[in-house]
Amino acid sequence: MTENTYYKPRLLIGNQEITLGMSGSITFPGGNQTNSLKCSITDPDFQNARLFNEEVKFYLNYGSDDGVPLFRGFIKTVSPSDTKTEITAIDGRTFINSKNSKMIELTDHENY
């Protein structure tokens, strides 16, 4: 996720764009497993920010005619340190197939 002359990657957390140093990777495992993004941010403003469950969007070429993010998910782990903040985001399927998902009870009265 380094900036190059051929593309202009952008990372947005909530509605805030990360402008200072970032590096990371995106994993697309396939087989109906959740996609994940791991990122390291060197901006000191993020060390004390509330990031858990914030929406993350990663655009490979933000500003082009293609307005679709390459990755969209929600932050599940945050590890701040003196020099950087590391985050891990998982796509939206984490809300339906993880330990933190809500249980659904179907009855004769509530079955929608």
Side-chain angles (χ1 to χ4, degrees):
M1 291 192 297
T2 58
E3 194 164 332
N4 193 335
T5 57
Y6 298 111
Y7 57 90
K8 194 168 189 170
R10 293 290 181 251
L11 180 68
L12 280 79
I13 297 178
N15 290 326
Q16 185 176 3
E17 182 177 354
I18 308 302
T19 56
L20 292 178
M22 67 167 176
S23 62
S25 63
I26 300 175
T27 306
F28 297 106
N32 206 23
Q33 296 177 0
T34 55
N35 303 330
S36 64
L37 173 134
K38 292 184 181 188
C39 186
S40 179
I41 304 167
T42 58
D43 188 352
D45 292 339
F46 280 92
Q47 291 176 350
N48 296 322
R50 293 193 303 174
L51 299 174
F52 189 72
N53 270 346
E54 282 289 324
E55 182 180 25
V56 174
K57 294 178 188 174
F58 175 72
Y59 295 89
L60 188 58
N61 198 10
Y62 190 59
S64 67
D65 294 336
D66 182 17
V68 179
L70 181 66
F71 176 85
R72 183 176 178 204
F74 298 90
I75 297 176
K76 288 299 168 187
T77 60
V78 180
S79 300
S81 69
D82 292 341
T83 58
K84 62 184 175 183
T85 302
E86 294 183 2
I87 62 168
T88 301
I90 302 175
D91 69 13
R93 292 178 289 171
T94 190
F95 291 117
I96 59 173
N97 67 354
S98 71
K99 295 177 185 176
N100 298 329
S101 61
K102 294 185 178 182
M103 294 295 295
I104 298 174
E105 294 183 22
L106 296 178
T107 64
D108 290 338
H109 300 288
E110 294 182 18
N111 59 4
Y112 50 89

